[in-house]
Amino acid sequence: MNPQLKSLIQLQKIDNEIVELERGKAAIPQQIESGKAGIKEKQAQLKKAQDTLTELQKKRKDLENDVIIENDHIAKTKTKLGLVKTNKEYSAILSEVDTVKEKILILEDQELELMEVLERKEKELPSLKSNCKEQEEIFNTYKLKKEAEAERTEKELEIIRPRRSQIGSSLDAKLLGQYNKLFKARDGLVVVLVHENICQGCHQKLLPQQVIDVKMGETVNSCEQCLRILYWEETNESAVPK
């Protein structure tokens, strides 16, 4: 096989490895960001529960203050009893006291109901905190794993890139330029096998003479249809190559 053609096959293999490694590395930040979804959900649940508790505690405090105010109201109203001069005034004051007492009972019932809800919500909080912490630990482990993967990938690239440069420097400049242009245009598939007289890049039938030239492997041949560089492997003649 033509040495230049052999180098092109090796170059394509390395370039595709580089593309895969770079693509994998580039995807890692988004993967880490996506991994935050679970933890954000648990944090949102915890915050909502904490906000609800704060609101319930405030309502309870407001009810307690309302009861204190109404009890003060009763105490002040009762002081008027010693000043009344008629039965009508006396009855009016007692009626006012009874009305306030009923109001206090309603407030106390509301407070009891609120305390039951508050107690239930407080019992739910430890579980939510535990779930949140567990999700944080899972995410942190995942993040460390992905960061290690990114570091490992970069080290692989540091090894493979010089190999790519070495092979590239061994190629004819014009041929390398042709290859680089096609690599971008043909999604990394530049050097392709010929199988049953068909280019495995565009799947078009080749002229008999070109097939003979490719089989001989003395020169670099390109498909007239897709311009990909062609080569032949005797061992792959009986099977359609990948």
Side-chain angles (χ1 to χ4, degrees), residues 169-187:
S169 64
S170 70
L171 287 165
D172 175 78
K174 185 178 179 180
L175 188 59
L176 179 61
Q178 178 189 350
Y179 166 86
N180 289 334
K181 185 177 179 181
L182 282 171
F183 190 84
K184 293 178 181 178
R186 302 301 185 190
D187 196 26

Side-chain angles (χ1 to χ4, degrees), residues 35-44 132 135-137 139:
K36 290 181 181 178
I39 188 172
K40 284 181 178 178
E41 181 183 354
K42 296 298 181 183
Q43 287 173 339
C132 189
Q135 196 64 43
E136 287 174 353
E137 290 173 351
F139 170 73

Side-chain angles (χ1 to χ4, degrees):
M1 182 184 288
N2 183 292
Q4 293 281 289
L5 183 56
K6 191 172 183 180
S7 292
L8 284 170
I9 294 171
Q10 294 175 339
L11 186 63
Q12 178 174 259
K13 181 180 178 182
I14 288 176
D15 276 345
N16 282 320
E17 287 179 20
I18 290 173
V19 167
E20 287 301 311
L21 288 169
E22 288 179 341
R23 185 179 293 137
K25 183 183 174 185
I28 288 174
Q30 183 56 46
Q31 290 170 349
I32 291 175
E33 189 62 30
S34 298
K36 290 181 181 178
I39 188 172
K40 284 181 178 178
E41 181 183 354
K42 296 298 181 183
Q43 287 173 339
Q45 291 174 354
L46 178 59
K47 186 179 184 305
K48 183 179 179 181
Q50 290 172 329
D51 289 345
T52 299
L53 272 176
T54 300
E55 184 180 350
L56 290 172
Q57 288 166 347
K58 183 180 181 302
K59 286 182 178 179
R60 181 187 175 186
K61 187 67 177 177
D62 290 342
L63 286 171
E64 289 176 346
N65 289 335
D66 288 343
V67 170
I68 291 172
I69 291 170
E70 295 305 327
N71 278 320
D72 287 343
H73 186 180
I74 290 175
K76 290 177 181 178
T77 302
K78 285 182 176 181
T79 60
K80 299 177 184 177
L81 290 173
L83 303 175
V84 299
K85 297 179 179 179
T86 65
N87 288 335
K88 185 177 180 181
E89 291 176 343
Y90 189 84
S91 296
I93 291 174
L94 291 179
S95 178
E96 182 180 351
V97 169
D98 288 340
T99 300
V100 175
K101 285 181 178 180
E102 289 177 4
K103 187 175 180 180
I104 290 173
L105 287 174
I106 292 172
L107 290 171
E108 287 176 342
D109 286 342
Q110 291 176 350
E111 187 179 355
L112 285 172
E113 291 175 3
L114 192 61
M115 286 173 65
E116 290 177 0
V117 175
L118 192 57
E119 184 179 358
R120 186 170 66 251
K121 293 294 182 182
E122 285 174 342
K123 287 180 179 179
E124 294 173 359
L125 198 60
S127 176
L128 290 172
K129 286 182 177 179
S130 176
N131 289 339
C132 189
K133 184 179 180 182
E134 181 181 353
Q135 196 64 43
E136 287 174 353
E137 290 173 351
I138 290 172
F139 170 73
N140 288 334
T141 301
Y142 176 76
K143 185 182 178 199
L144 288 172
K145 179 182 176 182
K146 284 296 173 181
E147 288 173 345
E149 181 182 333
E151 186 177 348
R152 185 171 61 252
T153 301
E154 183 55 36
K155 287 181 179 179
E156 290 181 40
L157 286 167
E158 288 173 0
I159 294 172
I160 199 171
R161 281 171 180 150
R163 287 169 52 199
R164 200 272 180 199
S165 297
Q166 184 179 5
I167 294 174
S169 64
S170 70
L171 287 165
D172 175 78
K174 185 178 179 180
L175 188 59
L176 179 61
Q178 178 189 350
Y179 166 86
N180 289 334
K181 185 177 179 181
L182 282 171
F183 190 84
K184 293 178 181 178
R186 302 301 185 190
D187 196 26
L189 186 61
V190 182
V191 192
V192 297
L193 280 164
V194 172
H195 178 73
E196 295 182 352
N197 300 347
I198 293 174
C199 166
Q200 295 303 303
C202 64
H203 304 289
Q204 297 296 315
K205 194 173 183 65
L206 303 172
L207 294 174
Q209 183 58 50
Q210 188 172 32
V211 174
I212 292 171
D213 292 340
V214 172
K215 283 184 177 181
M216 290 180 65
E218 295 178 357
T219 58
V220 177
N221 291 271
S222 297
C223 173
E224 293 182 358
Q225 302 296 324
C226 66
L227 303 180
R228 289 183 173 92
I229 298 166
L230 305 169
Y231 75 100
W232 180 272
E233 274 188 2
E234 191 68 34
T235 55
N236 286 342
E237 178 61 13
S238 62
V240 177
K242 294 181 180 178

